[in-house]
Coordinates of all heavy atoms in Angstrom, one line a residue:
Q43 N 10.8 -2.2 -10.2 CA 10.1 -1.9 -11.5 C 10.4 -0.6 -12.1 O 10.6 -0.3 -13.2 CB 8.5 -2.1 -11.2 CG 7.8 -2.0 -12.5 CD 7.9 -3.2 -13.4 OE1 8.4 -4.3 -12.9 NE2 7.9 -3.0 -14.7
A44 N 10.6 0.4 -11.1 CA 11.0 1.7 -11.5 C 12.3 1.8 -12.1 O 12.6 2.4 -13.2 CB 10.9 2.7 -10.3
L45 N 13.2 0.9 -11.7 CA 14.6 0.9 -12.1 C 14.4 0.2 -13.5 O 15.1 0.5 -14.4 CB 15.5 0.1 -11.3 CG 16.0 0.9 -9.9 CD1 16.6 -0.1 -9.0 CD2 16.7 2.0 -10.3
K46 N 13.7 -0.9 -13.6 CA 13.6 -1.7 -14.8 C 13.1 -0.8 -16.0 O 13.6 -0.9 -17.0 CB 12.7 -2.9 -14.6 CG 12.5 -3.8 -15.8 CD 11.7 -4.9 -15.5 CE 11.5 -5.9 -16.7 NZ 10.5 -7.1 -16.4
E47 N 12.1 0.0 -15.6 CA 11.5 0.9 -16.7 C 12.3 2.2 -16.8 O 11.8 3.0 -17.6 CB 10.1 1.1 -16.3 CG 9.2 -0.2 -16.4 CD 7.7 0.0 -16.2 OE1 7.4 1.2 -16.2 OE2 7.0 -0.9 -15.8
E48 N 13.2 2.4 -16.1 CA 14.1 3.6 -16.0 C 13.3 4.9 -15.9 O 13.5 5.9 -16.5 CB 14.9 3.7 -17.4 CG 15.9 2.5 -17.7 CD 16.6 2.7 -18.9 OE1 16.3 3.6 -19.7 OE2 17.6 2.0 -19.1
K49 N 12.4 4.8 -14.9 CA 11.5 5.9 -14.5 C 12.4 6.8 -13.5 O 13.0 6.3 -12.6 CB 10.3 5.4 -13.8 CG 9.5 4.5 -14.6 CD 8.8 5.3 -15.8 CE 7.9 4.3 -16.7 NZ 7.4 5.0 -17.8
K50 N 12.4 8.1 -13.8 CA 13.1 8.9 -12.9 C 12.3 10.0 -12.3 O 12.3 10.2 -11.1 CB 14.2 9.6 -13.8 CG 15.3 8.6 -14.3 CD 16.4 9.4 -15.0 CE 17.5 8.4 -15.4 NZ 18.6 9.1 -16.2
D51 N 11.5 10.8 -13.1 CA 10.9 12.0 -12.6 C 9.4 11.6 -12.2 O 8.7 12.3 -11.4 CB 10.8 13.1 -13.6 CG 12.2 13.5 -14.0 OD1 13.1 13.5 -13.0 OD2 12.5 13.8 -15.1
I52 N 8.8 10.6 -12.8 CA 7.4 10.3 -12.6 C 7.3 9.0 -11.9 O 7.2 7.8 -12.6 CB 6.5 10.3 -14.0 CG1 6.7 11.6 -14.8 CG2 5.0 10.0 -13.7 CD1 6.1 11.6 -16.0
L53 N 7.1 9.0 -10.6 CA 6.8 7.8 -9.9 C 6.3 8.2 -8.5 O 6.6 9.1 -8.0 CB 8.1 6.8 -9.8 CG 9.3 7.2 -9.0 CD1 9.2 6.9 -7.5 CD2 10.5 6.6 -9.6
S54 N 5.5 7.2 -8.0 CA 5.0 7.4 -6.6 C 4.6 6.1 -6.1 O 4.0 5.3 -6.8 CB 3.9 8.5 -6.6 OG 2.7 8.0 -7.2
F55 N 4.7 6.0 -4.8 CA 4.2 4.7 -4.1 C 3.5 5.2 -2.8 O 4.1 5.9 -2.0 CB 5.5 3.9 -3.7 CG 5.1 2.7 -2.8 CD1 4.8 1.4 -3.5 CD2 5.1 2.6 -1.5 CE1 4.6 0.4 -2.8 CE2 4.9 1.6 -0.7 CZ 4.5 0.4 -1.4
Y56 N 2.3 4.7 -2.5 CA 1.5 5.1 -1.4 C 0.8 4.0 -0.9 O 0.3 3.3 -1.6 CB 0.5 6.3 -1.9 CG -0.4 6.7 -0.7 CD1 -0.1 7.7 0.1 CD2 -1.7 6.1 -0.7 CE1 -0.9 8.1 1.1 CE2 -2.6 6.5 0.3 CZ -2.1 7.5 1.2 OH -3.1 7.8 2.2
V57 N 0.8 3.9 0.4 CA 0.1 2.8 1.0 C -0.6 3.4 2.2 O 0.1 4.0 3.0 CB 0.9 1.6 1.4 CG1 2.1 1.9 2.2 CG2 0.1 0.4 2.0
E58 N -1.7 3.1 2.5 CA -2.5 3.4 3.7 C -3.2 2.2 4.3 O -3.9 1.5 3.6 CB -3.5 4.5 3.3 CG -4.3 5.0 4.6 CD -5.0 6.3 4.4 OE1 -5.1 6.7 3.2 OE2 -5.5 6.9 5.4
G59 N -3.0 2.1 5.6 CA -3.6 0.9 6.3 C -4.7 1.3 7.2 O -4.7 2.3 7.9
T60 N -5.7 0.4 7.3 CA -6.8 0.7 8.2 C -7.0 -0.7 9.0 O -7.0 -1.7 8.6 CB -8.2 0.9 7.4 OG1 -8.0 1.9 6.5 CG2 -9.3 1.2 8.4
S61 N -7.1 -0.4 10.4 CA -7.2 -1.6 11.3 C -8.6 -1.7 11.8 O -9.3 -0.6 12.0 CB -6.2 -1.4 12.4 OG -6.5 -0.2 13.2
F62 N -9.0 -2.9 12.1 CA -10.4 -3.3 12.7 C -10.2 -4.1 13.8 O -9.4 -5.2 13.7 CB -11.2 -3.9 11.6 CG -11.4 -3.2 10.3 CD1 -10.5 -3.1 9.3 CD2 -12.5 -2.4 10.2 CE1 -10.7 -2.4 8.1 CE2 -12.8 -1.6 9.0 CZ -11.8 -1.6 8.0
D63 N -10.7 -3.8 15.0 CA -10.4 -4.6 16.2 C -11.7 -5.0 16.8 O -12.6 -4.2 17.2 CB -9.6 -3.7 17.1 CG -8.9 -4.5 18.1 OD1 -8.9 -5.7 18.1 OD2 -8.1 -3.9 18.9
T64 N -11.9 -6.3 16.9 CA -13.1 -6.7 17.6 C -12.6 -7.5 18.9 O -11.5 -7.6 19.2 CB -13.9 -7.7 16.8 OG1 -13.1 -9.0 16.6 CG2 -14.3 -7.2 15.5
E65 N -13.6 -8.1 19.6 CA -13.2 -8.8 20.9 C -12.2 -9.9 20.6 O -11.2 -10.0 21.4 CB -14.4 -9.3 21.6 CG -14.1 -10.1 22.8 CD -15.4 -10.7 23.5 OE1 -16.5 -10.5 23.0 OE2 -15.2 -11.3 24.7
N66 N -12.4 -10.7 19.5 CA -11.5 -11.9 19.3 C -10.6 -11.7 18.1 O -9.7 -12.6 18.0 CB -12.4 -13.1 19.2 CG -13.1 -13.4 20.5 OD1 -12.5 -13.2 21.6 ND2 -14.3 -14.0 20.3
Y67 N -10.7 -10.8 17.3 CA -10.1 -10.5 16.0 C -9.4 -9.2 15.7 O -10.2 -8.2 16.1 CB -10.9 -11.1 14.8 CG -11.4 -12.5 14.9 CD1 -12.7 -12.7 15.5 CD2 -10.7 -13.5 14.5 CE1 -13.2 -13.9 15.6 CE2 -11.3 -14.8 14.7 CZ -12.4 -15.0 15.2 OH -12.9 -16.4 15.3
E68 N -8.4 -9.2 15.2 CA -7.7 -8.0 14.7 C -7.4 -8.1 13.3 O -6.8 -9.1 12.8 CB -6.5 -7.6 15.5 CG -5.9 -6.2 15.2 CD -4.8 -5.6 16.1 OE1 -4.4 -6.4 16.8 OE2 -4.4 -4.6 16.0
S69 N -7.9 -7.1 12.4 CA -7.7 -7.2 11.0 C -7.1 -5.9 10.5 O -7.2 -4.8 11.1 CB -9.0 -7.2 10.2 OG -9.8 -8.3 10.8
V70 N -6.3 -6.0 9.4 CA -5.8 -4.8 8.7 C -6.1 -4.9 7.2 O -5.9 -5.9 6.7 CB -4.2 -4.8 9.0 CG1 -3.6 -3.6 8.1 CG2 -3.9 -4.4 10.5
Y71 N -6.4 -3.9 6.7 CA -6.7 -3.6 5.3 C -5.6 -2.5 4.8 O -5.7 -1.4 5.1 CB -8.1 -3.1 5.1 CG -8.5 -2.5 3.8 CD1 -8.1 -2.8 2.6 CD2 -9.3 -1.2 3.8 CE1 -8.4 -2.2 1.4 CE2 -9.5 -0.6 2.7 CZ -9.1 -1.0 1.5 OH -9.4 -0.3 0.3
L72 N -4.8 -3.1 3.7 CA -3.9 -2.2 3.2 C -4.3 -1.8 1.8 O -4.6 -2.7 0.9 CB -2.5 -2.9 3.1 CG -1.8 -3.2 4.3 CD1 -0.5 -4.1 4.2 CD2 -1.5 -2.0 5.2
L73 N -4.3 -0.5 1.4 CA -4.6 -0.1 0.1 C -3.4 0.6 -0.5 O -2.7 1.5 0.0 CB -5.7 1.0 0.1 CG -6.0 1.7 -1.2 CD1 -6.3 0.8 -2.2 CD2 -7.0 2.9 -0.9
F74 N -2.8 0.0 -1.6 CA -1.6 0.5 -2.2 C -2.0 1.3 -3.5 O -2.9 0.8 -4.1 CB -0.8 -0.8 -2.6 CG -0.2 -1.5 -1.5 CD1 -0.9 -2.6 -1.0 CD2 1.0 -1.2 -1.1 CE1 -0.3 -3.4 0.1 CE2 1.6 -1.9 0.0 CZ 0.9 -3.0 0.5
E75 N -1.3 2.3 -3.7 CA -1.4 3.0 -5.0 C 0.0 3.3 -5.6 O 0.9 3.9 -4.8 CB -2.1 4.4 -4.7 CG -2.1 5.3 -6.1 CD -2.6 6.6 -5.7 OE1 -4.1 6.8 -5.6 OE2 -2.0 7.6 -5.6
T76 N 0.3 2.8 -6.7 CA 1.5 3.1 -7.3 C 1.4 3.7 -8.7 O 0.4 3.6 -9.4 CB 2.2 1.7 -7.7 OG1 1.3 0.9 -8.5 CG2 2.4 1.0 -6.3

């Protein structure tokens, strides 16, 4: 998308994950910021 819109100086991609672990299940929540 950055290439398509010819963005050069103003762009950022950030993702942070949070994990949750119980006895029987493991989960991950990803938060993206672009």
Side-chain angles (χ1 to χ4, degrees):
Q43 190 64 31
L45 291 172
K46 181 179 179 181
E47 297 183 15
E48 298 184 348
K49 301 292 183 180
K50 294 183 178 180
D51 301 322
I52 304 177
L53 66 85
S54 66
F55 175 93
Y56 175 86
V57 56
E58 183 165 7
T60 305
S61 61
F62 302 84
D63 207 356
T64 67
E65 181 179 356
N66 295 326
Y67 301 93
E68 187 173 7
S69 312
V70 170
Y71 155 48
L72 296 175
L73 172 62
F74 292 90
E75 178 184 282
T76 63

